[in-house]
Amino acid sequence: MRALSLKLLVVAALFLTGCMQHNGDIGDWFGTWHLESMTVNGVDDSAYEQNYFFQFQTDKVRLSRIEPTYPDLLEECFGRWEQTDNTLTLDFSYTSASGSYWTPWPGTYLAKGVNRLHIDKLTSKHLILTLDSPERTVVYTLRKQ
């Protein structure tokens, strides 16, 4: 577990040094956010291994997943994002030949296509989002790296 934590810190540091705020300041959104926990219908998601990261830059969002059993393996998913009032829209509608770069992993509970999340809290270091659907309510708690 200690090796995984060290790998997560190294990857997060690389993300932070590798990005610039192109095309304007997006405020507190900019940077790397670690998804610390998820609840599904009010219950902690015990399957989540604290290995997802969200990154926001201009109107692009990048989801990263580090495989806990192979910490050198990093997977990515890309989409677009937009904030309107207290709503964060994550759009994973794009496609490619492989399709994998545009499709969130099942463990995120995010759909292929447009996802609208309520912004419960947004500060420079903390972010809490809620995704309501007929099947479930998912609350995401993130901390800026």
Side-chain angles (χ1 to χ4, degrees):
M1 186 67 176
R2 189 174 181 333
L4 175 61
S5 296
L6 181 59
K7 295 278 186 183
L8 291 173
L9 282 174
V10 169
V11 169
L14 290 173
F15 289 165
L16 286 174
T17 59
C19 291
M20 295 179 60
Q21 292 193 48
H22 297 291
N23 300 324
D25 181 8
I26 60 172
D28 290 333
W29 289 103
F30 180 75
T32 300
W33 295 84
H34 176 227
L35 179 57
E36 292 186 322
S37 66
M38 284 187 285
T39 63
V40 180
N41 296 328
V43 178
D44 284 333
D45 183 355
S46 61
Y48 177 55
E49 299 179 285
Q50 296 191 356
N51 58 335
Y52 293 141
F53 294 86
F54 288 54
Q55 292 176 298
F56 298 92
Q57 183 175 328
T58 57
D59 64 345
K60 309 296 184 282
V61 62
R62 174 186 180 204
L63 303 183
S64 302
R65 176 172 73 172
I66 297 172
E67 179 59 44
T69 54
Y70 301 100
D72 293 331
L73 179 61
L74 172 71
E75 297 177 288
E76 303 172 304
C77 171
F78 296 92
R80 296 181 65 113
W81 74 277
E82 178 182 42
Q83 178 188 0
T84 306
D85 299 321
N86 289 326
T87 301
L88 172 65
T89 302
L90 299 177
D91 184 356
F92 300 104
S93 297
Y94 303 95
T95 59
S96 66
S98 71
S100 61
Y101 286 113
W102 313 104
T103 304
W105 307 283
T108 64
Y109 302 98
L110 296 168
K112 172 79 175 150
V114 176
N115 299 267
R116 289 188 176 78
L117 297 92
H118 184 266
I119 303 166
D120 300 320
K121 179 179 183 178
L122 172 61
T123 69
S124 62
K125 293 287 183 185
H126 295 96
L127 176 60
I128 300 175
L129 303 167
T130 300
L131 176 66
D132 276 316
S133 71
E135 301 85 30
R136 65 185 72 88
T137 298
V138 182
V139 177
Y140 303 87
T141 302
L142 300 100
R143 178 181 297 269
K144 176 109 37 115
Q145 297 294 291

